[in-house]
Amino acid sequence: MKATVSDLIVQRLSRWGVKRIFGYPGDGITGLMGALDRASDSMELVQVRHEETAALMACAHAKYTGEVGVCLATSGPGAIHLLNGLYDAKLDHQPVMALVGQQPRSALGSNYLQEVDLVSLFKDVAGEYVHMASEASQARHLIDRAMRIAKSERTVTCVVVPNDLQREDAIEQPEQAHGSVHSSYNFSSPTVVPAEGDLRAAADLLNAGEKVAILIGAGALHAGSQVMQVAEVLGAGVAKALLGKAALADDLPFVTGAIGLLGTKPSWDLMQGCDTLLMIGTRFPYAEFLPEEGRARAVQIDLDPRMVGIRYATEINLIGDSAETLERLLPLLEPKKDRSWRKEIEGWVSDWWQVIEARAMQDAHPINPQRVFWELSSRLPDRCVLAADSGSSANWYARDLKVRPGMLASVSGTLATMGCGLPYVLAAKFAFPDRVAIAMIGDGAMQMNGINELITVAKYYKQWTDPRLVILVLNNQDLNEVTWEQRAVEGDPRFESSQSLPDFPYARYADLIGLKGIRVDDPAAIGAAWDEALASDRPVVLEAITDPDVPPIPPHITLEQAKHSLASLIKGDSETRGVVTQGFKDKVQDLLPHSPHKD
């Protein structure tokens, strides 16, 4: 059989190092499906339950591996389903390529069945590169350029292939003629570093500071060693944006943890007390959690010159790879002789972990969600892969889990989409089948797409070297994050019709499809439940019945937030009594001296 355009596309992706494509079949991509079947020895198709999940898994693959994630969808409705996951990748600057089908070329423009202007549809999310193939000789260079641009720009690209073209004979080497294109598939990442003069200016600024704070994000994930050295020389504390959680271990005494609404009090104090700020690989968006403009001098390191100087009025912007830039900056830095600022930071951090433990051990009805995460923290397996969904689970993930070296962890950062948690850890298990993966998901996200993707877990888990994948579901029958946002931001009471979720037997459903289900509603049983889940011979759904009234108290409550929260309770919030009780108990822990609590 002569190779088709589809065969050439699959072969070209394989030459770019792609080993796996996440997708769902349809008549707009039957030619590509045939080619994937013929290339099954070198290319794996992971069949998901929904195209949105395919795109989220491609994004997660990029986040956890650094490789280009590839997703595949049919024309029309299948292509449209990809958008949410592709925007997750775009906004978090991840290299993802979408391959989508289209109706026959002869039918385009006739209002044909499932005909959608896909180039226009993807023009925003794949703005750096989106093209439709119109003849066979294009296939080679369209794939090469889409992959090259995705890798070099860390962005989303898209190639549209009409289904009739997919079945045509391949043209691997176009004729040497005017208008022909002869592309290659090799790629090497450049080393980008700032100019020497900029490095010296940045060092002078940092050396002049007395109270240095460092804020790191996803761009520092590969630069943990360099960040530690800089923090030690400058006597600085290090706060972490959520996408940078795995860059540094949480048990380091100078690491203040997460920043922002999901953050810690030490990170708040660090930003409010510093006179100098070094931002490394982060586009953290919330200005109210950074030093007041003009109170701290600032340096920013980022690979993308378009993204510097937009979150804080930085004096010096160093354009370059974070690890390489810090390596060149380190010899220019002068060790701080006065370590009082560092000592103060370490005191805040030590006290905070005691506060967090005390909060986790507070009684709730029936389970305090903070305790579920606190009990997991000390049990995290070495080199595990973590994912938190968007919702209240992200609060406890950010604050209560101590990530160690060698672990991977991620969230939907800038888009903050619900429904990312399970697709993320699924992608992780395909990339790292020998590592334990753990997802932390609210019942809202679980009902949105997680229940369906458990079927995907059941379909594939037996091929993983280590079958352990644990999906924690916080069952509180409430869209909890939005409930608290309504109270704190709008001053409105809980809107029952909007926020109440139907109950669902998550653990029993897992048992039904051949996985393991564990349901826990007793605080004293949480530790044993985690032990059982992490020792299982198959994926586990750990359903924890948690109290929705435990408040995700931000590190600093503004007067406006306090007024709004009080107003929501006065207006007749259905959970007023529980909210007041749990909020008071948690806030009291901030004020009391602590010694580690043990059961």
Side-chain angles (χ1 to χ4, degrees):
M1 176 182 174
K2 192 169 183 180
T4 66
V5 167
S6 294
D7 292 313
L8 174 62
I9 288 172
V10 173
Q11 179 190 69
R12 209 68 185 176
L13 288 171
S14 182
R15 287 180 175 176
W16 275 98
V18 178
K19 300 180 178 65
R20 184 174 303 108
I21 296 175
F22 305 98
Y24 197 81
D27 63 1
I29 49 174
T30 51
L32 288 164
M33 287 296 170
L36 285 168
D37 187 23
R38 291 188 288 276
S40 58
D41 289 344
S42 58
M43 184 75 72
E44 178 183 22
L45 173 69
V46 177
Q47 182 208 71
V48 297
R49 314 274 65 77
H50 193 286
E51 289 92 351
E52 178 187 17
T53 304
L56 286 168
M57 290 178 72
C59 176
H61 179 87
K63 286 184 174 182
Y64 290 129
T65 68
E67 302 167 351
V68 178
V70 180
C71 54
L72 173 65
T74 188
S75 57
I80 293 167
H81 282 163
L82 290 175
L83 287 174
N84 191 58
L86 293 181
Y87 271 104
D88 186 37
K90 178 185 178 178
L91 282 116
D92 281 348
H93 304 274
Q94 296 302 314
V96 168
M97 194 199 99
L99 185 61
V100 297
Q102 178 58 290
Q103 295 306 304
R105 288 165 291 176
S106 60
L108 297 180
S110 71
N111 197 29
Y112 199 72
L113 176 72
Q114 294 189 336
E115 181 187 352
V116 173
D117 183 355
L118 294 178
V119 172
S120 295
L121 179 73
F122 287 98
K123 199 65 178 178
D124 181 52
V125 73
E128 296 288 343
Y129 194 80
V130 51
H131 283 279
M132 184 178 79
S134 57
E135 66 115 341
S137 63
Q138 282 183 287
R140 170 177 154 180
H141 73 256
L142 289 181
I143 295 300
D144 287 345
R145 291 214 69 212
M147 289 295 292
R148 189 182 310 280
I149 291 169
K151 286 176 77 73
S152 63
E153 300 297 320
R154 297 189 60 80
T155 192
V156 175
T157 59
C158 177
V159 175
V160 182
V161 188
N163 60 11
D164 59 324
L165 179 60
Q166 294 169 29
R167 296 186 291 271
E168 286 192 4
D169 290 346
I171 300 177
E172 185 168 1
Q173 185 172 327
E175 181 184 356
Q176 194 81 16
H178 181 70
S180 65
V181 178
H182 302 262
S183 58
S184 63
Y185 55 82
N186 56 309
F187 179 85
S188 180
S189 296
T191 299
V192 181
V193 294
E196 186 65 32
D198 291 335
L199 286 166
R200 168 55 67 185
D204 290 343
L205 189 154
L206 294 169
N207 289 334
E210 296 180 0
K211 297 181 176 182
V212 182
I214 298 175
L215 174 60
I216 61 175
L221 287 172
H222 67 299
S225 173
Q226 291 85 355
V227 172
M228 279 196 292
Q229 293 177 66
V230 169
E232 187 59 35
V233 170
L234 296 176
V238 182
K240 301 190 285 188
L242 208 53
L243 285 171
K245 183 172 177 66
L248 280 183
D250 284 305
D251 58 3
L252 293 170
F254 57 87
V255 171
T256 62
I259 189 174
L261 286 168
L262 313 185
T264 72
K265 190 173 185 301
S267 290
W268 169 265
D269 292 337
L270 180 72
M271 292 297 146
Q272 298 311 301
C274 70
D275 61 20
T276 307
L277 175 63
L278 173 59
M279 302 169 69
I280 305 171
T282 178
R283 292 92 184 253
F284 176 72
Y286 300 120
E288 66 269 30
F289 291 95
L290 297 176
E292 184 179 342
E293 185 174 353
R295 193 164 47 76
R297 304 180 70 191
V299 174
Q300 185 173 0
I301 300 172
D302 202 286
L303 196 57
D304 187 347
R306 298 171 298 181
M307 300 304 294
V308 295
I310 61 172
R311 303 305 186 209
Y312 194 78
T314 47
E315 290 184 41
I316 299 169
N317 296 312
L318 301 178
I319 308 305
D321 172 82
S322 58
E324 295 288 347
T325 299
L326 292 175
E327 285 284 1
R328 287 161 173 76
L329 186 62
L330 268 165
L332 307 177
L333 298 177
E334 300 168 359
K336 301 291 183 190
K337 296 178 181 178
D338 182 356
R339 310 300 283 188
S340 58
W341 170 242
R342 167 62 81 84
K343 187 175 180 181
E344 188 174 6
I345 293 166
E346 292 181 354
W348 296 338
V349 172
S350 177
D351 290 345
W352 175 252
W353 281 119
Q354 294 181 48
V355 167
I356 284 294
E357 182 175 10
R359 284 185 180 182
M361 295 304 170
Q362 291 293 331
D363 292 336
H365 304 286
I367 287 178
N368 184 339
Q370 296 169 101
R371 182 163 180 176
V372 181
F373 287 74
W374 183 261
E375 295 281 5
L376 168 63
S377 187
S378 61
R379 293 174 167 84
L380 287 172
D382 291 339
R383 300 178 67 249
C384 66
V385 185
L386 306 172
D389 217 297
S390 300
S392 62
S393 57
N395 287 280
W396 319 129
Y397 157 83
R399 295 178 186 168
D400 289 75
L401 288 190
K402 291 186 177 182
V403 171
R404 303 192 305 274
M407 295 180 181
L408 300 173
S410 198
V411 297
S412 173
T414 311
L415 187 62
T417 181
M418 284 178 66
C420 66
L422 189 44
Y424 272 32
V425 292
L426 251 176
K429 286 301 294 187
F430 283 104
F432 308 106
D434 60 332
R435 299 171 75 160
V436 179
I438 304 170
M440 291 143 278
I441 305 173
D443 46 3
M446 198 64 186
Q447 291 183 16
M448 183 174 282
N449 65 1
I451 292 169
N452 282 346
E453 291 307 329
L454 285 178
I455 300 170
T456 309
V457 174
K459 175 181 172 71
Y460 287 105
Y461 84 86
K462 291 181 182 177
Q463 72 181 50
W464 300 331
T465 311
D466 186 332
R468 289 179 294 171
L469 185 158
V470 183
I471 301 114
L472 167 67
V473 182
L474 301 181
N475 184 354
N476 55 26
Q477 297 178 51
D478 182 59
L479 286 171
N480 204 234
E481 186 74 7
V482 177
T483 294
W484 284 104
E485 288 171 346
Q486 281 182 277
R487 289 166 175 154
V489 178
E490 302 297 335
D492 288 333
R494 182 178 184 271
F495 180 22
E496 188 76 19
S497 297
S498 164
Q499 299 309 110
S500 180
L501 288 172
D503 196 9
F504 184 86
Y506 305 99
R508 284 196 286 128
Y509 180 78
D511 288 331
L512 182 67
I513 61 173
L515 308 178
K516 184 178 182 65
I518 301 172
R519 185 179 187 274
V520 59
D521 58 9
D522 178 1
I526 296 170
W530 276 120
D531 291 337
E532 183 180 358
L534 292 168
S536 177
D537 64 351
R538 65 193 61 203
V540 173
V541 172
L542 176 54
E543 178 185 359
I545 312 303
T546 56
D547 189 342
D549 294 338
V550 175
I553 298 174
H556 174 71
I557 301 176
T558 66
L559 180 60
E560 184 179 14
Q561 289 170 330
K563 285 179 177 177
H564 284 166
S565 296
L566 181 59
S568 74
L569 302 179
I570 292 172
K571 289 176 184 177
D573 194 300
S574 60
E575 306 298 331
T576 297
R577 184 171 183 177
V579 168
V580 172
T581 301
Q582 291 300 144
F584 176 76
K585 287 196 293 186
D586 266 8
K587 205 59 190 169
V588 162
Q589 298 307 319
D590 293 355
L591 307 175
L592 297 177
H594 290 284
S595 60
H597 174 93
K598 302 295 180 186
D599 281 344

